[in-house]
Amino acid sequence: MRWLIGCLINAVLFTALAGYFHENFQLAGFAAALEASVLLSILNVLVRPLLILFTLPVTVLTMGLFLFVINAVTLELTDYLMGTAFEIQGFGMALFFAVLMSFVNVIIQKTLFEPSRKAKD
């Protein structure tokens, strides 16, 4: 259930980004956003661990900041696999989206999935 909610959140985020950055990010519609979100989650399970393993020394040297580059690579791979339904113009924009998506996902996960401290007390 949590995976499905995460995919829906990413699809909404893709749609919002496509509306705001329409010159640098084209999306064929919400169905394409949902498909890209599912594909991105599959790539995060299958490809991202390998990329992290191969780039571990660089990731350690940059104190984890290189993970944003790995996220951008997975976004670019999603762009490649989706064809014209999901287009990100350039690696710099993919890196910007990776940072922005990470920030928004952390905020949403803290809000939705973690119980508040008042409920524990």
Side-chain angles (χ1 to χ4, degrees):
M1 185 67 174
R2 191 173 182 170
W3 174 80
L4 183 62
I5 292 171
C7 285
L8 286 173
I9 289 170
N10 278 341
V12 169
L13 188 57
F14 283 149
T15 306
L17 288 174
Y20 194 72
F21 297 101
H22 55 87
E23 292 183 12
N24 297 317
F25 182 42
Q26 288 84 32
L27 190 61
F30 188 74
L34 192 56
E35 185 180 342
S37 179
V38 169
L39 182 61
L40 181 64
S41 69
I42 292 169
L43 289 173
N44 280 337
V45 168
L46 298 176
V47 177
R48 191 170 182 262
L50 293 173
L51 290 174
I52 291 172
L53 183 65
F54 292 144
T55 61
L56 192 58
V58 176
T59 304
V60 170
L61 285 174
T62 61
M63 293 181 280
L65 291 176
F66 195 74
L67 292 174
F68 290 123
V69 174
I70 292 173
N71 289 344
V73 168
T74 57
L75 277 173
E76 284 287 331
L77 192 54
T78 302
D79 173 16
Y80 174 75
L81 293 173
M82 286 288 296
T84 59
F86 183 86
E87 289 287 329
I88 298 175
Q89 303 296 324
F91 185 77
M93 192 55 69
L95 184 61
F96 174 70
F97 288 158
V99 171
L100 190 62
M101 287 180 66
S102 296
F103 181 69
V104 170
N105 276 322
V106 164
I107 291 173
I108 290 173
Q109 285 182 7
K110 293 282 185 189
T111 305
L112 288 180
F113 297 125
E114 290 187 10
S116 66
R117 289 188 170 206
K118 289 181 183 179
K120 288 182 180 179
D121 293 337

